[in-house]
Amino acid sequence: GAGVSQSPSNKVTEKGKDVELRCDPISGHTALYWYRQSLGQGLEFLIYFQGNSAPDKSGLPSDRFSAERTGGSVSTLTIQRTQQEDSAVYLCASSSSGPSQYNEQFFGPGTRLTVL
Amino acid sequence: AQKVTQAQTEISVVEKEDVTLDCVYETRDTTYYLFWYKQPPSGELVFLIRRNSFDEQNEISGRYSWNFQKSTSSFNFTITASQVVDSAVYFCALSEAHNYGQNFVFGPGTRLSVLP
């Protein structure tokens, strides 16, 4: 499809294990965002990529969280040594931002992470 | 610093009633963008509207309308003749121009339940 895709849709893991979440943005979109949404809560910004520039990591909650974006397209969010408080839905969004206009974000369906 | 407040945590209305969702924002920028997103039970966020700070015209799209008032830093959303399919969590968001393309700040969301 033409939208943002994320995989897996659901992930159950044991405390202490590492997990990788994947995001495929809309083709041609240069900006990519990761958010976390805990149960019944709003969206918490995690990290932002714009093209090949250094990412804005200001929202990452701890050094157990990292993300990369290869070739300016697909992104992987990695959580090391998962904790139960990491359980949430992780949302990815992309947008086609340029120097003269701002475009809305298109969101993926999310990955529901459960840490037992 | 930017902040978005949605004071109504949950609202319940009966079908065909009108309902207004409040959004109040804080920013020191003179140029900024405001957004509304809908998150239905399926979970995927859906973009509804973007408004820039220089455009205070109210917007109407079908049963949806938005009232942007800079004097009160509000960007309220009204659904006219609500329908059961409008049941969702609605998020208001803000992005400052100087953080162009960078993180959005989302409000905590308002859960709207439209009862038949």
Side-chain angles (χ1 to χ4, degrees):
Chain A
V4 178
S5 61
Q6 292 185 245
S7 60
S9 55
N10 279 284
K11 177 71 177 178
V12 180
T13 190
E14 293 179 349
K15 178 181 172 180
K17 296 283 179 76
D18 298 351
V19 296
E20 285 189 352
L21 313 179
R22 177 187 168 104
C23 172
D24 281 274
I26 292 173
S27 178
H29 279 191
T30 56
L32 186 147
Y33 307 74
W34 282 98
Y35 294 88
R36 178 169 70 175
Q37 186 176 28
S38 300
L39 185 63
Q41 302 298 310
L43 276 72
E44 175 189 5
F45 166 76
L46 296 178
I47 189 169
Y48 158 76
F49 295 90
Q50 173 59 52
N52 295 319
S53 302
D56 175 0
K57 305 179 182 180
S58 58
L60 294 178
S62 79
D63 59 8
R64 296 185 296 104
F65 288 72
S66 64
E68 63 178 20
R69 189 178 183 193
T70 53
S73 181
V74 172
S75 177
T76 303
L77 176 69
T78 301
I79 309 173
Q80 296 177 307
R81 305 181 303 281
T82 51
Q83 304 294 314
Q84 288 182 330
E85 61 263 28
D86 299 334
S87 297
V89 175
Y90 289 81
L91 291 164
C92 176
S94 71
S95 71
S96 174
S97 56
S100 60
Q101 67 179 37
Y102 191 88
N103 293 293
E104 67 270 15
Q105 298 178 336
F106 294 85
F107 282 81
T111 293
R112 182 176 297 279
L113 174 66
T114 303
V115 182
L116 302 177
Chain B
Q2 47 185 344
K3 182 181 177 182
V4 176
T5 302
Q6 293 178 258
Q8 305 146 308
T9 305
E10 294 192 37
I11 301 176
S12 287
V13 298
V14 177
E15 204 169 19
K16 297 184 184 175
E17 286 185 5
D18 298 348
V19 58
T20 295
L21 310 181
D22 297 334
C23 173
V24 174
Y25 61 91
E26 292 178 27
T27 177
R28 280 180 265 185
D29 271 20
T30 56
T31 304
Y32 50 89
Y33 302 86
L34 295 163
F35 303 77
W36 276 95
Y37 285 84
K38 173 182 180 180
Q39 188 175 39
S42 61
E44 194 157 341
L45 277 152
V46 177
F47 166 82
L48 296 179
I49 191 172
R50 177 190 69 206
R51 173 67 73 214
N52 75 56
S53 52
F54 295 110
D55 183 1
E56 285 192 76
Q57 268 195 323
N58 290 333
E59 177 100 8
I60 298 175
S61 176
R63 295 185 297 106
Y64 295 171
S65 61
W66 290 269
N67 183 2
F68 176 31
Q69 293 197 340
K70 289 178 76 170
S71 60
T72 55
S73 296
S74 65
F75 186 43
N76 297 338
F77 172 33
T78 298
I79 302 174
T80 303
S82 60
Q83 300 177 1
V84 172
V85 294
D86 296 328
S87 297
V89 181
Y90 291 86
F91 292 96
C92 182
L94 164 72
S95 185
E96 295 172 334
H98 85 272
N99 278 338
Y100 184 83
Q102 295 183 21
N103 60 351
F104 278 58
V105 171
F106 282 79
T110 296
R111 180 177 300 278
L112 173 65
S113 298
V114 181
L115 308 174

